[in-house]
Amino acid sequence: MLRRFQVPFTYLTNCRLTDPEFERGVKDFLAVCNVVKVFRSTRILQIGPRPFDFWSTMCNEGELLEKFHIQLSPVPLPELTAQVKRAKEEGVEVKAVMDYCKEHMHICVTEEQLENIAALKVSMRRLADQYGCNAVAIQCWNALQGELGIMPCAANALLNEEGLPVVCETDIHGAITAVLVEAADLNRTPSFFADWTVRHPDNENGELLQHCGPWPLSCAGEKPTIGMPLAFDYPGAVEAEAKHGLVTLCRFDGDNGAYSLLLGTAKGIDGPYTKGTYLWVEVENWKRLEAKLVEGPYIHHCVGIHRDVVPVLFEACKYLGITPDLYDNNEEQVKAYLRAE
C-alpha cells in the first residue's frame, strides 16, 4: 500500500524486541526522522550577499523554498553592525563571552578586538533568534572588516560550539549541510565547516581540510588560539588542529534543478602544521572523491563531524527528495548496515 501511494518508508529487519538490531534500528530511524524534521523547517539567517568572486556559493532561493520548504532571512551588514554597537553598550552578555574566551582559549588579540569578537557573537545569536533561524551564513569578508576591524571566525566558532551552525562566504548550501549532519547525530556533536585545500605531501589519499577559524572549540585537539588568519590582515581567527579519529564528510549541493548529498567517511591523520583550524584526513580513494568535487555539483566547501552518520543521512535522503552520492562507493555496505546484517 505504501508503494502504491508512493510513500517512502524504512524497514526494520524482523527481530526480537530484545535483539540489538531492534534498539539500533529504532535509534537510527529516530535520527532519520530528526534529519527530515529539521531539514523541512530550516530557516537560514543570511548576513550579506555572497562575495563577488564566489560564483560557487550561488544558490536558488526560490527553488529551495519550493522544493524543500527551506527559507532564507536576508539581513544587510548594517543591521548586524547596529546590533554589535547595541550589544557593546549593554555590555553584560559581551563581558560573559569575553570571560569564556579567556578561560577556554589563548588570546592573541587586544582587549578591544576581543570585545568586538564577543559583541559580534552576541549579535548574530540575537538576529538568529529574532528571525527564527537555526543556521547562519555570513559574508565574512571584506565589508565586515571595514566596519568592525576583525574577522568573524572566532565569533562563528563560539556559535558553532553552542549548536548554532555558522558558515562562511554566505554559503547557503553549506549551512544546509551543517544542519543535516548535526541533525543526523541528534544534535549532540557540533560540525565543522571546511575547505578542501591541498593534497597531503606523503599520503596519496590524504587531503587538508582547513578554514580561517570557524570550527567549534570542542572539535580541537589542543587549546585553541584567537589570533591572525592565514590570508587576511585583520585579527579574529581561531587556530587549532582538530582532533583525529573518524569523521563524516558531507556536502549538499545542486544545480539545474537536481540536488544531491555527497557523503562518506575519513580518518584524521598527522600532517604539516598550518594556520587556522585544520585537519589532515585520509579517505579510501582520493582520486575518486576529487573527480566528484571537480565534476560537480559540489564545490570547495564541505562539512565534517566527528561521528559516522553516513547510514542515517543515506536513509534520510529518500524522504528529502535528494540523491545520496557515496564517495566511498559503498552503497551495498551501507544498505547492509541498515538491514542489520
Side-chain angles (χ1 to χ4, degrees):
M1 286 296 294
L2 292 173
R3 287 187 55 83
R4 289 290 186 189
F5 285 96
Q6 299 182 36
V7 176
F9 62 93
T10 292
Y11 168 66
L12 176 58
T13 190
N14 191 321
C15 61
R16 297 174 177 85
L17 295 178
T18 54
D19 289 344
E21 293 90 340
F22 180 79
E23 179 180 0
R24 190 181 79 179
V26 169
K27 287 182 175 178
D28 284 347
F29 183 65
L30 289 173
V32 169
C33 292
N34 193 50
V35 171
V36 176
K37 176 184 175 181
V38 171
F39 183 77
R40 291 179 176 171
S41 59
T42 283
R43 180 184 291 167
I44 298 167
L45 182 69
Q46 178 186 324
I47 303 175
R50 63 177 174 84
F52 171 77
D53 295 320
F54 275 54
W55 289 66
S56 54
T57 58
M58 184 184 297
C59 78
N60 188 325
E61 180 181 352
E63 195 167 76
L64 289 174
L65 180 63
E66 293 158 5
K67 281 180 172 285
F68 307 119
H69 310 291
I70 292 174
Q71 302 176 36
L72 305 187
S73 294
V75 299
L77 287 174
E79 187 171 349
L80 174 66
T81 54
Q83 281 279 3
V84 170
K85 181 179 178 181
R86 192 175 304 121
K88 290 170 68 174
E89 289 172 351
E90 295 169 0
V92 177
E93 285 188 76
V94 172
K95 184 181 183 306
V97 175
M98 293 174 70
D99 291 342
Y100 177 89
C101 291
K102 291 173 182 177
E103 180 181 353
H104 294 90
M105 309 170 80
H106 299 296
I107 309 299
C108 296
V109 297
T110 67
E111 191 76 0
E112 180 183 359
Q113 291 164 344
L114 182 60
E115 181 187 28
N116 283 340
I117 291 167
L120 180 59
K121 182 265 182 190
V122 170
S123 300
M124 285 196 286
R125 168 60 77 175
R126 289 180 178 180
L127 286 171
D129 293 343
Q130 176 184 335
Y131 288 99
C133 298
N134 60 333
V136 180
I138 184 172
Q139 185 204 97
C140 42
W141 52 274
N142 292 347
L144 193 66
Q145 286 67 57
E147 295 295 323
L148 299 179
I150 58 168
M151 299 297 293
C153 313
N156 297 355
L158 293 167
L159 288 169
N160 279 316
E161 182 66 23
E162 288 184 356
L164 177 64
V166 183
V167 302
C168 314
E169 291 140 356
T170 325
D171 183 0
I172 301 300
H173 289 175
I176 294 169
T177 309
V179 165
L180 285 171
V181 299
E182 293 189 17
D185 188 50
L186 297 173
N187 303 98
R188 294 173 295 192
T189 307
S191 61
F192 58 92
F193 181 73
D195 278 351
W196 302 103
T197 59
V198 296
R199 300 282 294 275
H200 193 284
D202 305 311
N203 188 324
E204 283 299 306
N205 289 310
E207 171 77 2
L208 176 63
L209 301 177
Q210 191 269 354
H211 230 278
C212 290
W215 296 7
L217 277 60
S218 59
C219 177
E222 56 190 342
K223 189 173 183 178
T225 298
I226 299 182
M228 295 293 295
L230 177 66
F232 295 90
D233 296 326
Y234 294 89
V238 175
E239 298 180 44
E241 181 184 9
K243 58 191 176 186
H244 293 189
L246 180 72
V247 294
T248 294
L249 301 176
C250 188
R251 176 71 192 184
F252 168 86
D253 246 324
D255 53 32
N256 299 290
Y259 290 83
S260 56
L261 190 68
L262 181 71
L263 69 161
T265 58
K267 64 178 181 180
I269 59 174
D270 292 331
Y273 162 81
T274 189
K275 293 276 285 182
T277 42
Y278 72 97
L279 176 65
W280 290 95
V281 295
E282 180 183 20
V283 298
E284 181 181 273
N285 185 327
W286 169 254
K287 291 183 179 179
R288 183 170 60 211
L289 172 54
E290 184 181 84
K292 289 181 178 291
L293 297 175
V294 173
E295 293 168 1
Y298 315 108
I299 68 166
H300 64 292
H301 288 160
C302 70
V303 173
I305 189 170
H306 283 85
R307 298 281 186 178
D308 183 359
V309 292
V310 170
V312 169
L313 290 170
F314 179 87
E315 183 70 7
C317 282
K318 71 168 67 169
Y319 300 100
L320 302 179
I322 58 180
T323 303
D325 189 357
L326 295 161
Y327 65 72
D328 288 326
N329 200 28
N330 61 338
E331 183 172 339
E332 285 307 311
Q333 293 95 311
V334 172
K335 287 181 176 178
Y337 168 89
L338 293 167
R339 292 192 299 264
E341 291 182 14

